[in-house]
Amino acid sequence: MRRPVFRDLLFKSALLLLLQIGAVHVALAESRVALVIGQSAYRAVPALPNAANDGKRMADLLGHAGFDVTAAPDLAQNDMRQTISDFAAKVSASGPDTVALVFYAGHGLQVDGENYLVPVDVDPKREADIPLQAVRLNDLMNTLGALPTRMRIVMLDACRNNPFPALHQTTGHGLAIVDTKAGASGSFISFSTSPGAEAEDGSGDDSPYTTAVLAVAKEPNLPIEEAFKRVRVAVNQATDGRQVPWESSSLTADFKFFPGDGDSGQGAATPKPPLRSADDWRRDLAGKEPKLAYDLVIADDTVAAYEAFTALFAQSSYTPRVRSLLERRREMLAWETAVATNTAAAFETFLANYASSDLAATAHKMQERVRNRSLNANAALVPPTNIALGPTCPCSTPITPTPPLLKKVEPAPPTRRVDKTPPKRKRPQVYDEEDVGPSPGYVSPGVVVGGGIGYGGGFGGGYGGFGGRGGGGGGRR
């Protein structure tokens, strides 16, 4: 009896999928492990339905790409920390030839120039609650960076709007810049939108960022840096210019989600072209259509490219978008410099240039904090003045011990031993003429009756000791 045609097609499709997955695993010489976190069920603010969908679909994509995936949705504070710790142990156990990937969809916040991932049970009443309740992004990056791995990839769909009313006046918009070149090499981090900007949750089942990643990453033999340039252009087009993903890379080797036939997935990184100046970009863009030029500078996403576009296409309808990106990028770079320098002068410079910034309140606070720290440090360096202003109570005034003055100690004159017992009659002592011994009853200096260890170093015994002043344990009285 023949099986239905539909069942045959289903069987063949499943077999083909298994062969593709098996081919990926065979081709990959590296170990791949991934942690996927989708934060939807927030308790104190409205839920994010798309974050759960984003997590599920990214877990499926990464599984097909040969990753051993840990899916961890809707994590509370303690659960998130424990999950990251367990994942770090998994990465460590996988060996040095491991690609470790973390995908996070949910809320993210910037406080004092630091980025935080937000657990679902967070309910902050003030800005100071965030460092206590949320998970610092740098802690995640440093944890992975401390492990012997081939590569670390972090994708953050976490730049949505700040949902906590208590923090609207104190935190800046979006997330701060993260420079992977300042940490361990071999790192790649992608944000769903530009530094200091907010991402959209999207009107479909997935966010614009995750939708683009799911489409682009499936292309075989596509290096990750080229893939995310395409993601940036796709998201920018889908949001009509409102959202531009951003990334930082310190990779020293290539990575492809789906290597081509015969590609092991390993190899030296594709040589990167040298950074182009604004003049280089002007020459490259000259004569091009505004739309094509716009897509090129969005894909590159550098200050130099944006400067060249605004100079060449001043009348284009795309220019206001590019100028806005350029101004915000310059501001966020200045903010990164101020936070990294962390001096009163650095924050003063930022405020002089960006007094109306959404980060101005934070800059004022951090400037005051640095000044107070400097005052306290200078006060600690002032030497104490040893001047008595009046009688002091010895029980309340600390007394600084002074070293004893050393003075020359003259040896005490020899003394005769006084014996109160009645004298006994002695036989007269007869000396020969050649005998030059001491007179009767005279005790020479340094000789004491008794035994012991003299403090000058001589050992006393019997009628005297050798070496130490004062003799042995009979002691000077």
Side-chain angles (χ1 to χ4, degrees), residues 239-254:
T239 60
D240 198 22
R242 296 185 300 273
Q243 185 173 332
V244 181
W246 176 88
E247 66 269 348
S248 176
S249 174
S250 65
L251 294 181
T252 57
D254 263 342

Side-chain angles (χ1 to χ4, degrees), residues 333-392:
L333 288 169
W335 177 239
E336 180 193 22
T337 299
V339 172
T341 308
N342 198 29
T343 63
F347 291 116
E348 184 176 355
T349 299
F350 177 84
L351 290 168
N353 293 317
Y354 302 100
S356 59
S357 169
D358 55 299
L359 296 163
T362 301
H364 280 295
K365 177 185 65 177
M366 296 181 72
Q367 182 184 40
E368 189 66 20
R369 183 185 299 167
V370 171
R371 282 175 175 165
N372 291 338
R373 182 187 65 193
S374 300
L375 289 173
N376 292 335
N378 291 336
L381 294 175
V382 176
T385 304
N386 190 16
I387 299 176
L389 301 179
T392 58

Side-chain angles (χ1 to χ4, degrees), residues 22-30 259-266:
V24 169
H25 284 284
V26 169
L28 294 175
E30 65 199 7
D261 293 338
D263 191 340
S264 66
Q266 293 184 335

Side-chain angles (χ1 to χ4, degrees), residues 232-470:
R232 182 160 40 250
V233 173
V235 172
N236 185 259
Q237 292 175 348
T239 60
D240 198 22
R242 296 185 300 273
Q243 185 173 332
V244 181
W246 176 88
E247 66 269 348
S248 176
S249 174
S250 65
L251 294 181
T252 57
D254 263 342
F255 173 81
K256 300 162 186 175
F257 286 99
F258 292 91
D261 293 338
D263 191 340
S264 66
Q266 293 184 335
T270 302
K272 299 175 185 176
L275 292 177
R276 288 180 284 180
S277 66
D279 289 337
D280 295 333
W281 272 103
R282 289 190 189 97
R283 288 191 292 270
D284 291 344
L285 298 178
K288 289 184 169 58
E289 291 294 325
K291 178 63 170 67
L292 175 59
Y294 173 75
D295 287 343
L296 288 173
V297 299
I298 288 295
D300 192 67
D301 192 39
T302 61
V303 168
Y306 293 149
E307 286 177 343
F309 185 92
T310 56
L312 286 175
F313 302 95
Q315 305 304 319
S316 170
S317 60
Y318 297 105
T319 301
R321 296 184 190 176
V322 177
R323 184 173 290 115
S324 177
L325 285 168
L326 174 60
E327 291 173 354
R328 185 60 168 174
R329 183 63 52 83
R330 286 171 171 165
E331 180 181 343
M332 295 306 296
L333 288 169
W335 177 239
E336 180 193 22
T337 299
V339 172
T341 308
N342 198 29
T343 63
F347 291 116
E348 184 176 355
T349 299
F350 177 84
L351 290 168
N353 293 317
Y354 302 100
S356 59
S357 169
D358 55 299
L359 296 163
T362 301
H364 280 295
K365 177 185 65 177
M366 296 181 72
Q367 182 184 40
E368 189 66 20
R369 183 185 299 167
V370 171
R371 282 175 175 165
N372 291 338
R373 182 187 65 193
S374 300
L375 289 173
N376 292 335
N378 291 336
L381 294 175
V382 176
T385 304
N386 190 16
I387 299 176
L389 301 179
T392 58
C393 173
C395 62
S396 60
T397 304
I399 299 175
T400 303
T402 57
L405 296 177
L406 299 178
K407 63 180 181 178
K408 185 176 180 180
V409 178
E410 299 293 339
T415 58
R416 292 181 178 275
R417 180 177 179 182
V418 180
D419 192 354
K420 296 182 180 181
T421 58
K424 296 181 180 180
R425 296 187 64 179
K426 298 182 179 179
R427 295 177 59 187
Q429 189 171 1
V430 180
Y431 288 88
D432 296 331
E433 291 182 0
E434 296 179 357
D435 193 321
V436 290
S439 304
Y442 177 80
V443 181
S444 64
V447 180
V448 183
V449 177
I453 301 176
Y455 67 82
F459 288 83
Y463 268 90
F466 300 95
R469 180 186 299 166

Side-chain angles (χ1 to χ4, degrees), residues 56-406:
K56 290 176 183 177
R57 294 198 171 131
M58 280 301 303
D60 290 342
L61 172 74
L62 295 173
H64 291 156
F67 282 87
D68 179 5
V69 181
T70 300
D74 296 331
L75 296 177
Q77 300 174 43
N78 294 336
D79 294 335
M80 183 179 287
R81 292 186 176 90
Q82 186 61 52
T83 298
I84 292 173
S85 177
D86 293 343
F87 179 68
K90 184 177 180 180
V91 172
S92 180
S94 297
D97 199 29
T98 298
V99 175
L101 186 148
V102 176
F103 175 85
Y104 174 90
H107 282 301
L109 293 171
Q110 177 191 169
V111 175
D112 292 352
E114 289 275 8
N115 297 323
Y116 291 87
L117 309 180
V118 183
V120 295
D121 60 340
V122 166
D123 187 14
K125 305 305 180 187
R126 60 198 65 81
E127 185 183 272
D129 291 339
I130 292 298
L132 298 174
Q133 298 179 13
V135 174
R136 200 169 70 130
L137 175 60
N138 270 348
D139 290 341
L140 169 63
M141 298 290 293
N142 292 338
T143 297
L144 295 179
L147 301 174
T149 57
R150 178 171 178 261
M151 190 178 302
R152 296 159 297 280
I153 300 169
V154 177
M155 294 186 286
L156 299 175
D157 198 352
C159 313
R160 294 165 168 88
N161 65 312
N162 176 4
F164 302 103
L167 308 182
H168 284 174
Q169 302 302 319
T170 56
T171 59
H173 299 154
L175 299 181
I177 288 176
V178 175
D179 185 4
T180 57
K181 296 179 178 63
S185 62
S187 297
F188 180 93
I189 185 167
S190 171
F191 292 84
S192 58
T193 194
S194 298
E198 294 176 350
E200 299 181 9
D201 200 39
S203 56
D205 291 338
D206 297 298
S207 74
Y209 173 78
T210 300
T211 299
V213 172
L214 292 172
V216 173
K218 292 177 181 177
E219 184 173 339
N221 213 31
L222 186 63
I224 187 171
E225 291 171 333
E226 177 61 29
F228 277 90
K229 285 185 177 181
R230 299 186 187 185
V231 167
R232 182 160 40 250
V233 173
V235 172
N236 185 259
Q237 292 175 348
T239 60
D240 198 22
R242 296 185 300 273
Q243 185 173 332
V244 181
W246 176 88
E247 66 269 348
S248 176
S249 174
S250 65
L251 294 181
T252 57
D254 263 342
F255 173 81
K256 300 162 186 175
F257 286 99
F258 292 91
D261 293 338
D263 191 340
S264 66
Q266 293 184 335
T270 302
K272 299 175 185 176
L275 292 177
R276 288 180 284 180
S277 66
D279 289 337
D280 295 333
W281 272 103
R282 289 190 189 97
R283 288 191 292 270
D284 291 344
L285 298 178
K288 289 184 169 58
E289 291 294 325
K291 178 63 170 67
L292 175 59
Y294 173 75
D295 287 343
L296 288 173
V297 299
I298 288 295
D300 192 67
D301 192 39
T302 61
V303 168
Y306 293 149
E307 286 177 343
F309 185 92
T310 56
L312 286 175
F313 302 95
Q315 305 304 319
S316 170
S317 60
Y318 297 105
T319 301
R321 296 184 190 176
V322 177
R323 184 173 290 115
S324 177
L325 285 168
L326 174 60
E327 291 173 354
R328 185 60 168 174
R329 183 63 52 83
R330 286 171 171 165
E331 180 181 343
M332 295 306 296
L333 288 169
W335 177 239
E336 180 193 22
T337 299
V339 172
T341 308
N342 198 29
T343 63
F347 291 116
E348 184 176 355
T349 299
F350 177 84
L351 290 168
N353 293 317
Y354 302 100
S356 59
S357 169
D358 55 299
L359 296 163
T362 301
H364 280 295
K365 177 185 65 177
M366 296 181 72
Q367 182 184 40
E368 189 66 20
R369 183 185 299 167
V370 171
R371 282 175 175 165
N372 291 338
R373 182 187 65 193
S374 300
L375 289 173
N376 292 335
N378 291 336
L381 294 175
V382 176
T385 304
N386 190 16
I387 299 176
L389 301 179
T392 58
C393 173
C395 62
S396 60
T397 304
I399 299 175
T400 303
T402 57
L405 296 177
L406 299 178

